[in-house]
Amino acid sequence: DTSILPICKDSLGWMFNKLDMNYDLLLDPSEISAIYLDKYEPCVKPLFNSCDSFKDGKLSNNEWCYCFQKPAGLPCQNEMNRIQKLSRGKSLLGEF
């Protein structure tokens, strides 16, 4: 039911349209990866895992917009925070 999904903010809708290189109104992993630089590479898979509610390997406009308005936070930011916490834990263990 897409009627419960939030309306996409202008900038999110614009970004979706810019990333949709084949104009099929869906984003696939290759289109999404175009927005990330090397240091954000770990974000692509978590983005799909948390945003692809239909689990079809593509993001519709509704999935895209809803994902960036979730109360749990942005998927990439959450993944980067998780990686940083793991790195800090490893460095602390390395000191002993």
Side-chain angles (χ1 to χ4, degrees), residues 7 11 13 15 26 32 34 37 57 65 69 74 93:
I7 295 172
S11 58
M15 180 60 80
L26 297 167
I32 291 288
L37 302 173
C65 296
Q69 298 177 58
L74 299 175
L93 290 174

Side-chain angles (χ1 to χ4, degrees), residues 23-24 59 62 66 74 85 88 92:
Y23 309 109
D24 65 351
L59 298 179
N62 284 339
Y66 178 71
L74 299 175
K85 285 179 186 176
R88 279 191 293 243
L92 287 175

Side-chain angles (χ1 to χ4, degrees), residues 8-21:
C8 207
K9 295 178 183 175
D10 289 342
S11 58
L12 285 173
W14 177 85
M15 180 60 80
F16 181 90
N17 291 329
K18 285 298 246 185
L19 292 171
D20 185 17
M21 301 300 284

Side-chain angles (χ1 to χ4, degrees), residues 24-39:
D24 65 351
L25 302 177
L26 297 167
L27 297 179
D28 61 43
S30 66
E31 291 169 318
I32 291 288
S33 65
I35 63 175
Y36 294 110
L37 302 173
D38 288 343
K39 71 178 186 173

Side-chain angles (χ1 to χ4, degrees), residues 32-62:
I32 291 288
S33 65
I35 63 175
Y36 294 110
L37 302 173
D38 288 343
K39 71 178 186 173
Y40 296 115
E41 179 96 17
C43 296
V44 175
K45 190 172 182 177
L47 178 75
F48 264 88
N49 289 342
S50 65
C51 299
D52 186 12
S53 57
F54 297 119
K55 304 299 179 211
D56 60 359
K58 296 183 182 265
L59 298 179
S60 68
N61 191 343
N62 284 339

